[in-house]
Amino acid sequence: MPASLPGFEHIRKSWNATYSAYAARILPGEYYVTRSDEGIYTTLGSCISACVRDKACRVGGMNHFMLPATADTDKLGGLSAATRYGNFAMEHLINDILKNGGKRENLEVKLFGGGRILQNMTDVGMRNISFAREYLETEGIEVAAEDVGDVFPRMVVYFPATGRVRVKRLRSLHNNTIADEEIRYLRNVEGKPVGGEVELF
Amino acid sequence: MTIFREREIVHGMNAEISRLLEDVGGLVTLPQVFLRISQLVDDPQSSLSDIAKAASHDPAFTLRMLRVANSAFYGFPSAIDTVDRAVSVIGTTQMRNLALSMSVASSFAGLPNDLVTMDNFWRHSLYCALIARALAREVRGCDPSAVFTAGLLHDIGELVLFNRLPEKARASLLLVLDEADDLPVYRAEQRIIGFDHAEVGGELAKRWGLPELLVECIACHHDIGRADRHPRETALVHLANILAQMAELDLHAMDDVPPVDPAAWVLTGLDESIVEQVVYEARREIAETHELFFGS
């Protein structure tokens, strides 16, 4: 099994027969960066995942997050708590890739998730998609590929070394189980204040 | 010794399925109108007008049934304004299937669960039913109306598991999501619960005294090799269950859905060239059919 980079030892990995490779599984709120030839996978309802890698030096990773539904009045330095949280999720991933040898100009990004899996809810998936797109536009990073929105959950398997992604759309039988997991994660996030300090490279 | 032990295990599981179904016995019941029609269909002495009389006994059913008979679902060329006429053009055994199909939503309303919304559950079932019916039209000797009903009922065991064993059922679904390898839900159920929704559904259908074709299609849709009386109909439901996922998820390649048992193509004499058309048609028909069978 490939060794995990420092800080990612807690992410569970298992052998995957379909891809003949090890794969790390990330949960809502987690991210994972690797320099090895291994996969990263996650299951997304209305959450979003950015798959980011340096095309030249084969370091990359994936995050999995959702903007908390906090009121926009909670501002800090002109940014709402939701935006600060989203920025956090994106910057942690990108900074760790840069820390491990990636270069900003070589970054390739793919976006997945943001499905509207619960009919009676406001479209939180779309809010997450819009945030991710705007964030990347501001950072000047182009989105190379995406499968976002619509009404189904997705399982995403990503190989940062090659950039290969497999997105499997999941049947509605899984909607509630995935939504429950995301709601639990959201409550956890909303219970914690988000500061403004992120180390920028 | 080994054989004896295996039998013991199978017997133990059957006992557990029986226990589950005893618990749901009072919660899911078939309506009188279906039971009465069913009895008459099986009775060689009964006439077409006996069946029409039984159907007319339930005015709400009559109204809905005539709506279905006059809809694009059948596409009959002229208006059907009496129950007698409906029974004669639809057919008697087909009327039994229709009565069953039209009552599934209310029959299972007493079995709620937190894992899937009824709307999502029945949408998948209805896609399966529509596609199974479309496929059956291309297979000589298969009754499209019977296969439609089989498709609509194929996952009823899931509703039993979700209601009676919610924690284990949730664990099965989580296991599927936890594995990047394509683990089908029924295999996860076998691993965690010891049996799967197809077995439970088949057993429920058997207890209800449903026609053997339905029992076999429900029980064997994930394991068509076990169907010995109605292998072609079972193969159609197996295929339709997978193609239904293409329709639901707007997918166009068979690589994106669980693999089909190649025996299903052989048994039905169909091949992949039919897929695009039946999936497209099902997507076109779903809204209207949903309104007919599940609307108020």
Side-chain angles (χ1 to χ4, degrees), chain A residues 95-116:
Chain A
N95 286 350
D96 272 27
I97 291 169
L98 301 183
K99 226 188 318 189
N100 282 286
K103 294 207 162 51
R104 190 168 276 275
E105 61 270 25
N106 291 338
L107 293 185
E108 174 190 78
V109 181
K110 298 179 182 176
L111 281 183
F112 303 100
R116 184 173 196 166

Side-chain angles (χ1 to χ4, degrees), chain B residues 11-272:
Chain B
H11 182 76
M13 278 170 197
N14 283 344
E16 207 176 332
I17 294 174
S18 295
R19 248 195 319 278
L20 281 183
L21 294 176
E22 264 153 39
D23 292 345
V24 305
L27 301 173
V28 279
T29 48
L30 293 171
Q32 279 301 319
V33 61
F34 164 76
L35 297 172
R36 190 77 193 108
I37 293 173
S38 187
Q39 224 168 43
L40 291 166
V41 169
D42 289 332
D43 176 3
Q45 306 287 330
S46 75
S47 68
L48 207 138
S49 73
D50 289 333
I51 291 169
K53 212 177 289 167
S56 311
H57 221 75
D58 181 339
F61 171 78
T62 304
L63 207 68
R64 289 181 60 215
M65 187 268 287
L66 287 174
R67 224 169 90 206
V68 177
N70 284 293
S71 72
F73 183 74
Y74 281 112
F76 292 128
S78 56
I80 292 153
D81 42 18
T82 65
V83 180
D84 277 80
R85 173 116 180 87
V87 177
S88 78
V89 295
I90 290 172
T92 52
T93 52
Q94 288 79 2
M95 187 53 80
R96 162 162 69 187
N97 293 327
L98 181 61
L100 184 54
S101 298
M102 286 175 50
S103 68
V104 286
S106 57
S107 296
F108 282 92
L111 214 56
N113 75 86
D114 292 330
L115 292 174
V116 66
T117 63
M118 286 298 176
D119 203 44
N120 284 334
F121 178 83
W122 290 117
R123 185 175 307 102
H124 167 72
S125 303
L126 191 56
Y127 264 127
C128 179
L130 283 169
I131 292 171
R133 184 173 78 143
L135 294 174
R137 286 178 177 145
E138 307 300 321
V139 181
R140 197 191 293 265
C142 281
D143 174 4
S145 86
V147 179
F148 177 88
T149 306
L152 203 52
L153 294 173
H154 78 285
D155 271 346
I156 52 171
E158 210 73 274
L159 293 178
V160 176
L161 288 181
F162 286 4
N163 178 278
R164 304 317 298 181
L165 299 174
E167 288 316 311
K168 283 184 173 178
R170 180 185 295 275
S172 306
L173 292 176
L174 286 172
L175 180 63
V176 170
L177 300 178
D178 204 37
E179 297 234 345
D181 284 323
D182 298 291
L183 178 72
V185 172
Y186 74 95
R187 285 221 190 278
E189 288 166 353
Q190 288 168 357
R191 243 194 254 175
I192 287 177
I193 305 174
F195 46 83
D196 63 38
H197 66 273
E199 291 170 79
V200 174
E203 194 54 39
L204 177 61
K206 202 189 281 177
R207 284 176 170 238
W208 270 350
L210 296 187
E212 197 185 39
L213 182 149
L214 296 179
V215 174
E216 204 164 87
C217 286
I218 295 167
C220 307
H221 71 272
H222 288 300
D223 186 7
I224 61 174
R226 276 179 42 229
D228 44 18
R229 302 291 294 273
H230 303 279
R232 288 188 311 159
E233 286 82 358
T234 307
L236 289 175
V237 174
H238 170 80
L239 288 170
N241 180 35
I242 290 163
L243 301 189
Q245 296 186 44
M246 294 176 72
E248 283 172 85
L249 301 175
D250 196 11
L251 296 168
H252 301 275
M254 293 203 68
D255 297 346
D256 293 330
V257 285
V260 160
D261 182 339
W265 296 123
V266 179
L267 281 163
T268 57
L270 299 170
D271 60 57
E272 279 192 32

Side-chain angles (χ1 to χ4, degrees), chain A residues 12 18 25 41 168-169 180, chain B residues 170 178 180-182 249:
Chain A
R12 184 170 59 82
T18 310
R25 169 150 203 237
Y41 71 101
K168 191 166 104 178
R169 296 177 178 183
D180 287 350
Chain B
R170 180 185 295 275
D178 204 37
D181 284 323
D182 298 291
L249 301 175

